[in-house]
Structure formats: C-alpha cells, structure tokens
C-alpha cells in the first residue's frame, strides 16, 4: 500500500466519522465552551495582527467579528 492510498484511506475515514457525528460536532461548535475558547483565540490573533499591521485595526476587528459569529453561541 502506497502513501497516497494510505492518506486517501485516512481522509475517507475522517469524512465518514464527520458524517456520522456532524450533529454532535455542530452542537459542540455552538456551545458556551466553544464561545469562550474561540473568543480568547480570536482576541489573541486580532491583537497580534494589529501589532503587525496597526493601520488595519478596523479591518482586523471586522474580520474577527465575522469569525466570532461562525463559532460559539453569541
């Protein structure tokens, strides 16, 4: 079995697991815990990006807010 076949099998198993558990995954992504963790991560990334590109702070905040809407429950 070659590396391509091994990787392909792993990807297919991952897809199967996702399909079997997508409701649970969606529920977890919209949980309070996911909201807390994502807020901390997004705030950290936004702060770092503002240090690198201080002139783009408004755009960075906009992108951070859009990402925050997709994760968690707030």
């Amino acid at each position: 079995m070659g590396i391509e076949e091994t990787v392909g099998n792993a990807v297919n198993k991952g897809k199967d697991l996702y399909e079997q558990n997508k409701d649970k995954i969606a529920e977890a992504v919209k949980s309070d815990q996911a909201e807390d963790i994502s807020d901390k991560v997004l705030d950290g990334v936004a702060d770092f990006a503002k240090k690198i590109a201080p002139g783009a702070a408004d755009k960075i905040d906009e992108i951070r807010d859009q990402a925050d809407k997709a994760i968690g429950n707030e």
Side-chain angles (χ1 to χ4, degrees):
M1 180 180 310
I3 188 84
E4 291 175 2
E5 189 175 352
T6 301
V7 171
N9 288 340
V11 169
N12 288 334
K13 286 180 184 179
K15 287 179 184 178
D16 290 344
L17 283 172
Y18 170 76
E19 286 300 321
Q20 293 170 8
N21 296 293
K22 64 183 172 184
D23 293 338
K24 291 177 186 175
I25 292 168
E27 184 178 313
V29 168
K30 295 295 182 186
S31 70
D32 288 338
Q33 185 178 12
E35 180 67 31
D36 292 341
I37 293 168
S38 68
D39 283 350
K40 290 176 186 173
V41 170
L42 292 171
D43 288 343
V45 170
D47 289 344
F48 178 73
K50 289 176 189 176
K51 289 177 183 174
I52 294 172
D58 290 341
K59 187 64 176 174
I60 291 167
D61 286 338
E62 180 184 324
I63 293 168
R64 184 244 177 262
D65 292 343
Q66 289 173 355
D68 188 39
K69 289 177 186 176
I71 303 170
N73 57 7
E74 291 182 26

